Every structure is written in structure tokens, then in C-alpha cells.
Amino acid sequence: MSVKLIHGPVISCASIENQRALFEGVYGMKAAATQSLDSAAVKSLWGLDGHTAATLLLETPGTHFGVRLIRFDPCSGVVIRDRSTGFDCDALKVIDFYAPDIDAAVAHIEASGFKLKDEVAVYDMPEGRIFEGHLWGHDEVVTALISGPKDFFKQVATVTDRVFSEVQSISGPVAEVEPVVAFYDQVLGLGVIQEYAIDDDSFAGLVGTKHKLRLRAKNIGLKRTEPYFGIIHYGLPDGAYRSLRDRSVFPNRGLVAATVVVSRIEDHENRAIEFGAEVLAPVAEVKLSPYGTVKSLTVRAPHGVIHHLIET
């Protein structure tokens, strides 16, 4: 398997400092690298013409996981998501963090100047009772705190002794599950590491739909203690949601992509072409902090999610 790790989400934003206040101030990440990219580098990295960019890489101390923030110039006026329709599909939606002590986590969020959405979901899983709250931040980026049995979360997170874990998962609702699972299998060599279902009405309130929700999900990645992709189907009736696939593109703002570190990048380019995935930027050598010169490849999955692959 060529995938070495799923580093974490990529966010296109209007202000790096606003996003930094959230991920550094609330979730405890630290700056790992900053860089200014000219238009040639932006084109080689992400296939976007006519833009320069400033980027900041943040990581959870003691791990190789984090988030890359990008401020494109010119900056897009289009925001991918809308909190009034949080159930729309075919774009990433939520960055999940584990919170061992939910009361301490909520207090920390509020002391940092942020606030959870009023609705908090409480639902039962085979592992025990789970609490989940969402924070809608700048550029309509959603982060979630998830709390529950401590013994269970020691099996699904690397950092379990702080207010928040590292990025636990990067999730989004899809219109069709199977093509997405096939993409991860055939292009990235990643398989399903967990499946679960939620039928609780409180989760429908958290998502914001008035329809009956029958959530079914597949988590896809390397292992449960590192960041993975959450593939979610809400089970809503046709016409109850819209696809964001056409909006979920660079340089539009929001949770738009994920970074994946691989060891044989040309293999993935060949697999992407064979699969019929959209190749936004073919393999190229580019300087990308903090790694130095990397091989870069950017491909788009059937549900519109952009995957930036790097070989260091």
C-alpha cells in the first residue's frame, strides 16, 4: 500500500488568521510551516490558473496530523457550504475531534470566543452513549467535538490526554456511497475500517433537517487511531438536499480537500486515470513547506472531494 498517512483537511479561506484562531486557539495545533506560492506553484500543486497563494500548515504537537490553510489571491467570493442547509451532499463537511471531557471542551471553546451550535446530538452506539456538537466557523467550516466512553476513544484517536485529540476524521455526506468507496479502494488503496448507523432524532436536529434521518456511514482509512475519511449517507428522500459538487472546487472557500502522503505517487496517478477520476494537477515536482521538494498530484473523487497527494 502506497498511502503512508492521511495528514488532514485543506481549507480555502478568506483569512488565515481567522482560521488559525480556531485550530490553534481552540484545538491546540501549532504552526509547522508558512509559505507564499507564485502562480506557477499553485498551478502545479492544485491545477488552478491565475492565482497566487499564502499557506499555513498547522499540526497537533506530537503527531504528523493537522490542517493546511490556503488563502488564494484573488480570493473567491463563493463559500461552498451554507449552515442553513447543513445536510447538502457531495462535499466535505465536518472535521471531527475527540473530547475526553465534554464539559471542559465546551468551556474551552467558549473561553476562546467560539460557540457550539445550540443543538447537541446524544445517541447510542454499541460502544456506549455518544455526545456530538458542531461549531460553524469562518468560511462555513464545520468542526465537531465528539465525546463518549474513554476506553472506546483510546482505540480511535492518537491523542487522548488533552482537551481535544488530533483530527479524528474528515467527513462528508454523499449522494451515492459505492462509487466513493470504489475510488478509495482502486485509486488510493484504502479500505473500510468501520461502519455504523445512527437513527436518533437528536442527530437530525444537529444536521438541521426536518426529515427523518437514517444515517449510514463507512469510515475509510489506514487504521482507526489515525485520521480517516467518513463517508456518510443521511438516508434523506430525493429532493430534500442538493449536491455541492460544482461548488466544492478551488479557490472556493471552505473545507475543500485533504492531504494524503504516499510513497509511489505515479502509481496513484495511473490508478486515477484508469478509474476515470478527474486529475486536476498531474504529477509534478514542487517546493512545498515544510517538506522541501515534493512530488504532487491532485485528483477529484466521484463525490467532488479534492485529494492532494504528496510524495516527500
Short mmCIF file of all heavy atoms in Angstrom, two decimals, residues 18-53:
data_model
loop_
_atom_site.label_atom_id
_atom_site.label_comp_id
_atom_site.label_asym_id
_atom_site.label_seq_id
_atom_site.Cartn_x
_atom_site.Cartn_y
_atom_site.Cartn_z
N ASN A 18 -8.03 34.15 10.89
CA ASN A 18 -9.31 33.75 11.47
C ASN A 18 -9.37 32.23 11.68
O ASN A 18 -9.83 31.76 12.72
CB ASN A 18 -10.47 34.19 10.57
CG ASN A 18 -10.77 35.66 10.70
OD1 ASN A 18 -10.33 36.33 11.63
ND2 ASN A 18 -11.52 36.20 9.74
N GLN A 19 -8.91 31.48 10.70
CA GLN A 19 -8.91 30.02 10.84
C GLN A 19 -7.86 29.58 11.86
O GLN A 19 -8.08 28.62 12.62
CB GLN A 19 -8.63 29.36 9.49
CG GLN A 19 -9.74 29.53 8.46
CD GLN A 19 -11.02 28.79 8.83
OE1 GLN A 19 -11.04 27.96 9.74
NE2 GLN A 19 -12.09 29.09 8.13
N ARG A 20 -6.76 30.28 11.90
CA ARG A 20 -5.71 29.94 12.87
C ARG A 20 -6.22 30.09 14.30
O ARG A 20 -5.87 29.29 15.18
CB ARG A 20 -4.49 30.82 12.63
CG ARG A 20 -3.30 30.48 13.50
CD ARG A 20 -2.08 31.28 13.10
NE ARG A 20 -0.90 30.84 13.82
CZ ARG A 20 0.33 31.26 13.55
NH1 ARG A 20 0.54 32.12 12.56
NH2 ARG A 20 1.36 30.81 14.25
N ALA A 21 -7.05 31.11 14.52
CA ALA A 21 -7.61 31.32 15.86
C ALA A 21 -8.41 30.11 16.31
O ALA A 21 -8.44 29.78 17.50
CB ALA A 21 -8.48 32.58 15.86
N LEU A 22 -9.06 29.44 15.37
CA LEU A 22 -9.84 28.25 15.70
C LEU A 22 -8.95 27.04 15.92
O LEU A 22 -9.00 26.39 16.97
CB LEU A 22 -10.85 27.96 14.59
CG LEU A 22 -11.66 26.67 14.74
CD1 LEU A 22 -12.58 26.75 15.96
CD2 LEU A 22 -12.48 26.40 13.48
N PHE A 23 -8.11 26.73 14.94
CA PHE A 23 -7.36 25.47 15.01
C PHE A 23 -6.18 25.54 15.97
O PHE A 23 -5.82 24.52 16.56
CB PHE A 23 -6.91 25.07 13.60
CG PHE A 23 -8.05 24.63 12.74
CD1 PHE A 23 -8.63 25.48 11.81
CD2 PHE A 23 -8.59 23.37 12.89
CE1 PHE A 23 -9.70 25.09 11.04
CE2 PHE A 23 -9.67 22.95 12.12
CZ PHE A 23 -10.23 23.81 11.20
N GLU A 24 -5.61 26.71 16.15
CA GLU A 24 -4.54 26.86 17.12
C GLU A 24 -5.12 27.21 18.50
O GLU A 24 -4.76 26.61 19.51
CB GLU A 24 -3.56 27.94 16.67
CG GLU A 24 -2.27 27.97 17.46
CD GLU A 24 -1.24 28.88 16.82
OE1 GLU A 24 -1.61 29.99 16.36
OE2 GLU A 24 -0.06 28.49 16.76
N GLY A 25 -6.04 28.17 18.53
CA GLY A 25 -6.58 28.65 19.80
C GLY A 25 -7.51 27.68 20.48
O GLY A 25 -7.52 27.59 21.71
N VAL A 26 -8.31 26.94 19.70
CA VAL A 26 -9.26 26.00 20.29
C VAL A 26 -8.71 24.58 20.29
O VAL A 26 -8.68 23.92 21.34
CB VAL A 26 -10.61 26.04 19.53
CG1 VAL A 26 -11.53 24.93 20.02
CG2 VAL A 26 -11.28 27.39 19.70
N TYR A 27 -8.24 24.11 19.14
CA TYR A 27 -7.89 22.70 19.00
C TYR A 27 -6.42 22.39 19.28
O TYR A 27 -6.00 21.24 19.16
CB TYR A 27 -8.32 22.19 17.63
CG TYR A 27 -9.83 22.20 17.49
CD1 TYR A 27 -10.47 23.07 16.60
CD2 TYR A 27 -10.63 21.38 18.28
CE1 TYR A 27 -11.86 23.09 16.49
CE2 TYR A 27 -12.01 21.40 18.17
CZ TYR A 27 -12.62 22.26 17.28
OH TYR A 27 -13.99 22.29 17.19
N GLY A 28 -5.65 23.41 19.63
CA GLY A 28 -4.30 23.19 20.14
C GLY A 28 -3.23 22.88 19.12
O GLY A 28 -2.14 22.42 19.48
N MET A 29 -3.50 23.12 17.84
CA MET A 29 -2.47 22.90 16.83
C MET A 29 -1.40 23.99 16.90
O MET A 29 -1.62 25.06 17.46
CB MET A 29 -3.10 22.85 15.44
CG MET A 29 -4.04 21.70 15.23
SD MET A 29 -4.67 21.67 13.52
CE MET A 29 -5.82 20.30 13.62
N LYS A 30 -0.25 23.71 16.30
CA LYS A 30 0.85 24.65 16.25
C LYS A 30 1.34 24.80 14.80
O LYS A 30 1.26 23.85 14.01
CB LYS A 30 2.02 24.20 17.14
CG LYS A 30 1.65 24.07 18.61
CD LYS A 30 1.24 25.41 19.22
CE LYS A 30 0.90 25.26 20.69
NZ LYS A 30 0.39 26.54 21.28
N ALA A 31 1.87 25.98 14.48
CA ALA A 31 2.35 26.23 13.12
C ALA A 31 3.56 25.36 12.82
O ALA A 31 4.51 25.30 13.60
CB ALA A 31 2.70 27.70 12.96
N ALA A 32 3.50 24.67 11.68
CA ALA A 32 4.62 23.83 11.24
C ALA A 32 5.35 24.45 10.05
O ALA A 32 6.53 24.18 9.85
CB ALA A 32 4.12 22.44 10.86
N ALA A 33 4.66 25.28 9.26
CA ALA A 33 5.30 25.90 8.09
C ALA A 33 4.39 26.97 7.50
O ALA A 33 3.16 26.83 7.51
CB ALA A 33 5.61 24.85 7.04
N THR A 34 5.00 28.03 7.00
CA THR A 34 4.29 29.03 6.21
C THR A 34 5.01 29.16 4.87
O THR A 34 6.21 28.92 4.77
CB THR A 34 4.27 30.41 6.91
OG1 THR A 34 5.62 30.85 7.14
CG2 THR A 34 3.55 30.32 8.25
N GLN A 35 4.25 29.57 3.86
CA GLN A 35 4.85 29.68 2.53
C GLN A 35 3.99 30.56 1.64
O GLN A 35 2.75 30.54 1.73
CB GLN A 35 4.98 28.28 1.90
CG GLN A 35 5.73 28.25 0.58
CD GLN A 35 5.89 26.84 0.03
OE1 GLN A 35 5.33 25.88 0.57
NE2 GLN A 35 6.66 26.68 -1.03
N SER A 36 4.66 31.34 0.79
CA SER A 36 3.98 32.08 -0.27
C SER A 36 4.24 31.36 -1.59
O SER A 36 5.38 30.97 -1.88
CB SER A 36 4.51 33.51 -0.35
OG SER A 36 4.19 34.22 0.83
N LEU A 37 3.19 31.14 -2.35
CA LEU A 37 3.29 30.38 -3.58
C LEU A 37 2.96 31.27 -4.78
O LEU A 37 1.92 31.97 -4.78
CB LEU A 37 2.31 29.20 -3.54
CG LEU A 37 2.54 28.18 -2.42
CD1 LEU A 37 1.32 27.27 -2.27
CD2 LEU A 37 3.78 27.35 -2.70
N ASP A 38 3.82 31.25 -5.81
CA ASP A 38 3.51 32.00 -7.02
C ASP A 38 2.52 31.24 -7.87
O ASP A 38 2.13 30.10 -7.56
CB ASP A 38 4.79 32.35 -7.78
CG ASP A 38 5.57 31.13 -8.28
OD1 ASP A 38 4.98 30.04 -8.40
OD2 ASP A 38 6.78 31.28 -8.56
N SER A 39 2.09 31.86 -8.95
CA SER A 39 1.03 31.26 -9.76
C SER A 39 1.47 29.94 -10.39
O SER A 39 0.65 29.02 -10.57
CB SER A 39 0.58 32.24 -10.84
OG SER A 39 1.67 32.61 -11.68
N ALA A 40 2.75 29.80 -10.71
CA ALA A 40 3.23 28.55 -11.30
C ALA A 40 3.15 27.42 -10.29
O ALA A 40 2.75 26.29 -10.62
CB ALA A 40 4.67 28.72 -11.80
N ALA A 41 3.51 27.70 -9.04
CA ALA A 41 3.44 26.68 -7.99
C ALA A 41 1.99 26.29 -7.71
O ALA A 41 1.68 25.10 -7.53
CB ALA A 41 4.11 27.18 -6.72
N VAL A 42 1.09 27.26 -7.66
CA VAL A 42 -0.32 26.97 -7.43
C VAL A 42 -0.89 26.10 -8.54
O VAL A 42 -1.63 25.14 -8.29
CB VAL A 42 -1.13 28.28 -7.29
CG1 VAL A 42 -2.63 28.01 -7.30
CG2 VAL A 42 -0.75 29.01 -6.01
N LYS A 43 -0.49 26.40 -9.77
CA LYS A 43 -0.95 25.61 -10.91
C LYS A 43 -0.43 24.18 -10.80
O LYS A 43 -1.17 23.20 -11.01
CB LYS A 43 -0.45 26.25 -12.21
CG LYS A 43 -0.70 25.44 -13.47
CD LYS A 43 -2.15 25.37 -13.86
CE LYS A 43 -2.32 24.72 -15.22
NZ LYS A 43 -3.74 24.57 -15.60
N SER A 44 0.86 24.02 -10.45
CA SER A 44 1.44 22.68 -10.36
C SER A 44 0.85 21.88 -9.21
O SER A 44 0.64 20.68 -9.34
CB SER A 44 2.96 22.79 -10.19
OG SER A 44 3.57 23.35 -11.34
N LEU A 45 0.57 22.54 -8.08
CA LEU A 45 0.06 21.85 -6.91
C LEU A 45 -1.40 21.46 -7.06
O LEU A 45 -1.79 20.31 -6.77
CB LEU A 45 0.23 22.72 -5.67
CG LEU A 45 1.63 22.84 -5.09
CD1 LEU A 45 1.71 24.01 -4.12
CD2 LEU A 45 2.04 21.55 -4.40
N TRP A 46 -2.23 22.40 -7.46
CA TRP A 46 -3.67 22.18 -7.38
C TRP A 46 -4.42 22.40 -8.70
O TRP A 46 -5.65 22.31 -8.74
CB TRP A 46 -4.26 23.09 -6.30
CG TRP A 46 -3.63 22.81 -4.96
CD1 TRP A 46 -3.60 21.61 -4.30
CD2 TRP A 46 -2.92 23.74 -4.13
NE1 TRP A 46 -2.93 21.74 -3.11
CE2 TRP A 46 -2.51 23.03 -2.96
CE3 TRP A 46 -2.62 25.10 -4.23
CZ2 TRP A 46 -1.78 23.63 -1.94
CZ3 TRP A 46 -1.89 25.71 -3.21
CH2 TRP A 46 -1.47 24.97 -2.08
N GLY A 47 -3.69 22.72 -9.78
CA GLY A 47 -4.33 22.84 -11.09
C GLY A 47 -5.15 24.10 -11.27
O GLY A 47 -6.01 24.16 -12.15
N LEU A 48 -4.86 25.13 -10.47
CA LEU A 48 -5.64 26.37 -10.50
C LEU A 48 -4.86 27.45 -11.24
O LEU A 48 -3.72 27.77 -10.87
CB LEU A 48 -5.96 26.81 -9.07
CG LEU A 48 -6.82 28.06 -8.89
CD1 LEU A 48 -8.20 27.86 -9.49
CD2 LEU A 48 -6.93 28.41 -7.40
N ASP A 49 -5.46 28.03 -12.26
CA ASP A 49 -4.81 29.07 -13.06
C ASP A 49 -5.03 30.46 -12.47
O ASP A 49 -6.09 30.75 -11.89
CB ASP A 49 -5.36 29.06 -14.49
CG ASP A 49 -4.83 27.90 -15.32
OD1 ASP A 49 -3.61 27.70 -15.34
OD2 ASP A 49 -5.66 27.20 -15.94
N GLY A 50 -4.04 31.33 -12.65
CA GLY A 50 -4.20 32.75 -12.38
C GLY A 50 -4.30 33.14 -10.92
O GLY A 50 -4.85 34.19 -10.61
N HIS A 51 -3.78 32.33 -10.02
CA HIS A 51 -3.84 32.64 -8.58
C HIS A 51 -2.47 32.43 -7.94
O HIS A 51 -1.75 31.48 -8.27
CB HIS A 51 -4.84 31.73 -7.86
CG HIS A 51 -6.27 32.04 -8.16
ND1 HIS A 51 -6.84 31.73 -9.38
CD2 HIS A 51 -7.24 32.61 -7.42
CE1 HIS A 51 -8.12 32.12 -9.37
NE2 HIS A 51 -8.38 32.64 -8.20
N THR A 52 -2.14 33.31 -7.02
CA THR A 52 -1.06 33.05 -6.07
C THR A 52 -1.71 32.62 -4.77
O THR A 52 -2.94 32.63 -4.63
CB THR A 52 -0.19 34.30 -5.87
OG1 THR A 52 -1.01 35.37 -5.36
CG2 THR A 52 0.45 34.75 -7.19
N ALA A 53 -0.90 32.26 -3.79
CA ALA A 53 -1.49 31.78 -2.53
C ALA A 53 -0.51 31.96 -1.38
O ALA A 53 0.71 31.89 -1.56
CB ALA A 53 -1.90 30.32 -2.64
#
